[in-house]
Amino acid sequence: MKHADTQSTEAVADVTCDVCGQSTRVEGYGLQYGTLQAHWGYGAQHDGERYEVHLCETCFFGVLSHLRHERSVNTLFDEQTENAAEEFGLVRRDDYFRDS
Ligand SMILES: [Zn+2]
């Protein structure tokens, strides 16, 4: 959940985790959180609904672990390398500055 700065309508003062309620601010490093989001459109059962869930690092990887487990159950008899399971959801490594 994003908390707006009362002094400015643009700035986000804090983002709390929607699962555990903790602040996602890492002292000295700013806000560190993941986002689960969807905006369902025409043809979807949830047409017109928009979702956004903010997750702290611990809860994000808890959710990712759950999804990874669900995927492994659904693909139990498929050929899959261990690496593919470990990298589930990972788009890029070493992207420290989000510039690529
Ligand atoms: Zn959390």
Side-chain angles (χ1 to χ4, degrees):
M1 177 182 300
K2 288 183 178 178
H3 302 275
D5 186 339
T6 55
Q7 302 297 316
S8 166
T9 56
E10 297 295 321
V12 174
D14 195 8
V15 175
T16 53
C17 176
D18 288 319
V19 174
C20 71
Q22 297 296 307
S23 170
T24 62
R25 181 173 299 285
V26 176
E27 212 50 50
Y29 296 96
L31 301 170
Q32 299 292 329
Y33 61 92
T35 307
L36 178 66
Q37 62 182 12
H39 188 172
W40 300 104
Y42 186 71
Q45 290 181 350
H46 294 269
D47 184 16
E49 294 180 8
R50 187 172 170 180
Y51 293 83
E52 190 170 283
V53 178
H54 299 95
L55 301 164
C56 72
E57 188 174 14
T58 300
C59 291
F60 175 85
F61 283 100
V63 168
L64 196 64
S65 176
H66 172 73
L67 294 174
R68 186 182 299 131
H69 174 75
E70 289 296 308
R71 185 177 193 278
S72 71
V73 168
N74 289 330
T75 60
L76 193 60
F77 299 108
D78 296 350
E79 280 192 34
Q80 183 180 10
T81 64
E82 187 63 30
N83 241 8
E86 286 179 16
E87 294 181 353
F88 176 75
L90 179 65
V91 175
R92 186 169 288 123
R93 283 192 196 280
D94 302 327
D95 187 12
Y96 304 106
F97 306 105
R98 299 178 187 168
D99 58 353
S100 54

